[in-house]
Amino acid sequence: MRLYYTATAILLTAASAFGQLAPLARPLTLPPGLDEVLNINPDSSYMADAVRIVDCPLDKDNPFGSCGNVLFGGMALYASSLSGSVEVRFFPPRQGIAHFELYHPGNLTGTDTIMAAPEGYTFPVRQNNVFDAFQYVTQGDLNLSNGEVTNFVLGLNMFNTFYQAFGNSNPRAKLEYFQFPGPYGSAWVSFSQRADGLLDLTLHATTFLPLGNTIDGDLPRIPMPFCGQGKFCASIQAPGSSFRPSINYTTVPTPAAAKVTCGDSCADIPANTVQQYFNSTYGTYFREGFTMNIPQLGGSATGRTHFDGRTIVQFGPRTGDLVPVWFELLTPAGSVGKPPKIDTTLPLIDGITPGFIGKDIALRFPTLTYFPLQMSYSSDPFDGTRGLLNVKTGRFVDDLLFSGYLIHNVLLRVIEQNLGRIPLSPFLTRGPATFTKGPRGETVFRLFADGYRNYTGFLFPAQDLISAHGWFAGPGSRLDPHISIEAVQPAPGDDPASTLVKTGNYSVTTPTGDPVTLSYLVSCSGQGPSSLTYTNKGPAVRAGSFTMESLLFVKCTNSPNSKAAPGDFDQITFSGTGLWSADPDKLDPHLVSVHVFPNAPQGLYFSVLIDGGDISNADLKPPTEPVVQP
């Protein structure tokens, strides 16, 4: 089903597909006769949707439905396990590239399930079926030497009782097939050699379908679970609502390790709820690997910033052992006011809100050093991040595709200087993710995800960031993004004693060369007196002193391998307001966000953000990248 709507053109673009540039140990060999039919693995194969039901009638909020008036407390989620077979027809390769087509003989069939949102919305989703589009043949191109798939576009009809009821409720909607990635989304497929000479494949595809505030003159309507014959149901007006259909399947058998149950370490997953997890900043970071064929840079560089913030998790309805999950990233708790305006002339898209906040870093190439500032990483609010969790193993049934927008001053100059050649699309990373129970009964979420973007032929800014001074990247240039998240939700009732106080007094030089002093006294319960002073004697962009006057938020948590005594905690996160020395009258309140992990695996770690890092920021970034083991 494809949804057509009367609205302005989508300004977003489909995200780049994943690939790998390094040659395989042995080139892939096409199956005998260039044709194969394989059964998909039901354990790791499913169709799903995340429907954002809103009341956003104003033109300024559409076509994306970007207002905040969400109905029913969150996304309406469902996922249906699929079974069936896939046929791949290859064409004779040319210069090592084999064109291929995908078909689904006999269709794919899904299990019955429920679509639900946290506050009072459920809809039975039955008769799940996936079959090939009549108007389009799914196709792509496979590089046999490195396994990279390009030009892949997937066309499918996805049918169930919810889509049928939606069509009945919106008779003016033109319902056709889903196309992945479509105007905005992702479509990824990989092949791997089998012992029998055939090629296993794994597929992940998503798309974003906003309804806008009108369908050929009518307000969009969402069906309610009160239906007569033929799925003609009661419905509500929901202008600005949007669909996010996705499909995942693989012909690869489930590895034995992925079938091992988590036992006592299984987290308690509260189905159909929205939960808040607090980042362990030490284990939450974004790494950018720059492999640039640019003589002036002298080689490659790696930048890494650690993120403060919160990971918001919506668990959908449980069907058997499976629960669909939706993710949103937010700023540190206690953040108030409008985010600082980023210094850019780029037409940034409405609907993208601040998420994780990082610290300034030094990006050191062999001959030049750059200083990325105002680091942040925000949720993709349109296509989004979602997956399917097996609560008996604590693992997602396939690698979690995480979609987010990284922003910093150097990256903005990269996009700006390439004059629209680099699309305003999110970074896509894939990797294992888990929910497990920690040593004190807390729930721990971990993600370790990698991606890749080809950078050959694009401009890279000179050190002064002036457009006319940029350099073209030669063949083999690439960008390798990586996101790690480690976030904790304390166990219910794990409240600190009112007498538990955390203190620290540090005088250090940060990895960016800033002399920093930090002194704090904060009760884990938020009761009693609290204090914090912070001084940064680094460059003017971060220099100044802060004195906290009011505590806004505090949370003490345990790291996954905490050795704190019972009733104690080894991490503290808090926010407050106070005065900043650089203010002329020193009277305007400013916000501080702090995270301290005194006994981190590589020694003391702390992070400080003043006004979300806009005025000043500092941290003791560990010299070696922490390994977050999902």
Side-chain angles (χ1 to χ4, degrees):
M1 178 180 72
R2 180 192 285 171
L3 306 179
Y4 290 89
Y5 53 91
T6 305
T8 57
I10 290 184
L11 301 178
L12 304 172
T13 52
S16 301
F18 289 94
Q20 56 184 48
L21 296 181
L24 299 171
R26 182 178 300 171
L28 297 175
T29 301
L30 297 180
L34 302 180
D35 189 281
E36 63 180 15
V37 179
L38 300 171
N39 291 328
I40 67 172
N41 177 4
D43 293 339
S44 303
S45 303
Y46 61 96
M47 60 181 284
D49 209 332
V51 182
R52 187 171 187 259
I53 307 174
V54 299
D55 183 17
C56 299
L58 300 181
D59 289 341
K60 70 181 183 66
D61 297 321
N62 285 289
F64 307 124
S66 56
C67 83
N69 192 18
V70 179
L71 307 180
F72 304 113
M75 295 286 186
L77 302 176
Y78 88 86
S80 171
S81 297
L82 291 174
S83 59
S85 60
V86 56
E87 178 181 7
V88 190
R89 300 177 188 173
F90 292 97
F91 292 75
R94 295 183 178 181
Q95 298 181 336
I97 306 296
H99 187 72
F100 66 89
E101 296 176 348
L102 283 186
Y103 299 91
H104 301 89
N107 304 337
L108 305 180
T109 58
T111 55
D112 291 346
T113 185
I114 295 290
M115 172 185 281
E119 297 179 359
Y121 184 84
T122 60
F123 197 99
V125 181
R126 299 169 181 158
Q127 301 173 28
N128 289 285
N129 281 276
V130 177
F131 52 99
D132 297 317
F134 305 126
Q135 308 94 321
Y136 181 81
V137 175
T138 295
Q139 56 192 297
D141 298 301
L142 171 63
N143 186 320
L144 298 174
S145 67
N146 63 20
E148 183 177 9
V149 173
T150 55
N151 306 316
F152 180 66
V153 179
L154 175 67
L156 294 173
N157 290 288
M158 297 171 67
F159 177 86
N160 58 39
T161 51
F162 174 79
Y163 293 143
Q164 181 185 11
F166 174 82
N168 290 341
S169 300
N170 297 272
R172 294 191 177 185
K174 300 184 176 89
L175 304 182
E176 296 186 8
Y177 67 96
F178 287 136
Q179 188 176 96
F180 305 90
Y184 183 79
S186 64
W188 176 85
V189 64
S190 68
F191 291 90
S192 57
Q193 199 74 57
R194 291 166 43 128
D196 59 7
L198 303 181
L199 289 174
D200 274 318
L201 68 89
T202 299
L203 178 148
H204 180 109
T206 68
T207 194
F208 169 59
L209 300 174
L211 302 178
N213 56 355
T214 179
I215 298 178
D216 197 17
D218 285 349
L219 289 173
R221 305 186 71 89
I222 295 295
M224 300 295 287
F226 312 111
C227 307
Q229 292 183 346
K231 282 301 168 187
F232 285 90
C233 306
S235 60
I236 59 170
Q237 294 179 350
S241 295
S242 50
F243 288 58
R244 291 157 183 79
S246 62
I247 184 168
N248 300 261
Y249 66 69
T250 184
T251 64
V252 179
T254 305
K259 295 181 179 180
V260 177
T261 60
C262 43
D264 292 340
S265 65
C266 286
D268 297 323
I269 302 300
N272 203 26
T273 64
V274 178
Q275 303 293 321
Q276 180 173 222
Y277 289 72
F278 300 94
N279 286 4
S280 174
T281 308
Y282 174 85
T284 301
Y285 56 88
F286 194 97
R287 180 226 306 144
E288 294 178 276
F290 294 86
T291 303
M292 293 292 144
N293 185 1
I294 298 174
Q296 293 87 343
L297 299 179
S300 61
T302 300
R304 168 167 50 93
T305 189
H306 287 241
F307 285 129
D308 294 90
R310 293 164 290 163
T311 301
I312 305 302
V313 182
Q314 180 182 335
F315 296 106
R318 178 170 173 171
T319 302
D321 294 332
L322 303 177
V323 174
V325 184
W326 173 268
F327 293 90
E328 183 179 1
L329 310 181
L330 293 184
T331 56
S335 301
V336 293
K338 293 184 178 179
K341 181 174 176 60
I342 297 172
D343 179 20
T344 177
T345 57
L346 292 172
L348 296 180
I349 302 159
D350 288 341
I352 299 176
T353 57
F356 292 171
I357 301 177
K359 273 66 66 177
D360 301 343
I361 64 171
L363 178 64
R364 293 185 171 90
F365 287 90
T367 58
L368 293 175
T369 298
Y370 294 74
F371 296 94
L373 309 175
Q374 294 181 299
M375 307 281 286
S376 68
Y377 185 74
S378 299
S379 305
D380 174 0
F382 306 109
D383 191 31
T385 294
R386 67 274 204 191
L388 187 60
L389 176 70
N390 186 321
V391 299
K392 289 295 183 66
T393 66
R395 297 179 176 273
F396 285 80
V397 301
D398 59 349
D399 281 348
L400 184 63
L401 175 66
F402 218 87
S403 179
Y405 285 91
L406 179 72
I407 296 177
H408 57 74
N409 64 327
V410 176
L411 179 59
L412 291 174
R413 295 290 82 78
V414 167
I415 296 172
E416 189 176 66
Q417 292 181 18
N418 281 278
L419 302 174
R421 296 171 62 227
I422 296 179
L424 293 176
S425 60
F427 280 108
L428 297 181
T429 54
R430 286 178 62 90
T434 60
F435 283 92
T436 57
K437 185 179 292 186
R440 307 292 164 76
E442 65 270 23
T443 302
V444 182
F445 168 68
R446 292 187 184 93
L447 167 73
F448 194 83
D450 293 302
Y452 144 75
R453 280 189 174 183
N454 190 342
Y455 204 85
T456 300
F458 292 107
L459 273 171
F460 193 82
Q463 196 175 26
D464 58 13
L465 304 184
I466 296 175
S467 297
H469 299 166
W471 304 299
F472 276 102
S477 297
R478 60 186 284 166
L479 175 62
D480 294 279
H482 169 90
I483 180 74
S484 282
I485 299 176
E486 186 172 81
V488 178
Q489 183 188 67
D494 192 14
D495 299 320
S498 59
T499 57
L500 183 59
V501 175
K502 294 295 183 180
T503 63
N505 195 340
Y506 312 116
S507 181
V508 299
T509 299
T510 70
T512 52
D514 298 359
V516 169
T517 59
L518 175 68
S519 179
Y520 66 93
L521 181 152
V522 177
S523 167
C524 284
S525 66
Q527 302 175 22
S530 59
S531 63
L532 173 133
T533 58
Y534 159 81
T535 300
N536 190 322
K537 296 182 179 180
V541 70
R542 293 185 292 272
S545 297
F546 178 89
T547 302
M548 186 173 73
E549 294 189 320
S550 298
L551 182 69
L552 295 177
F553 169 85
V554 61
K555 179 66 70 173
C556 289
T557 58
N558 276 301
S559 64
N561 298 307
S562 175
K563 294 180 174 58
D568 199 0
F569 303 87
D570 67 351
Q571 299 181 110
I572 184 170
T573 302
F574 63 94
S575 299
T577 56
L579 301 181
W580 178 245
S581 62
D583 282 343
D585 299 322
K586 299 182 180 63
L587 294 176
D588 293 333
H590 293 265
L591 176 73
V592 64
S593 299
V594 180
H595 178 86
V596 186
F597 187 3
N599 298 311
Q602 298 183 54
L604 168 67
Y605 177 82
F606 70 74
S607 165
V608 179
L609 303 170
I610 308 296
D611 285 357
D614 185 45
I615 289 180
S616 185
N617 62 79
D619 76 333
L620 279 181
K621 182 173 68 174
T624 302
E625 179 179 301
V627 177
V628 176
Q629 293 288 354

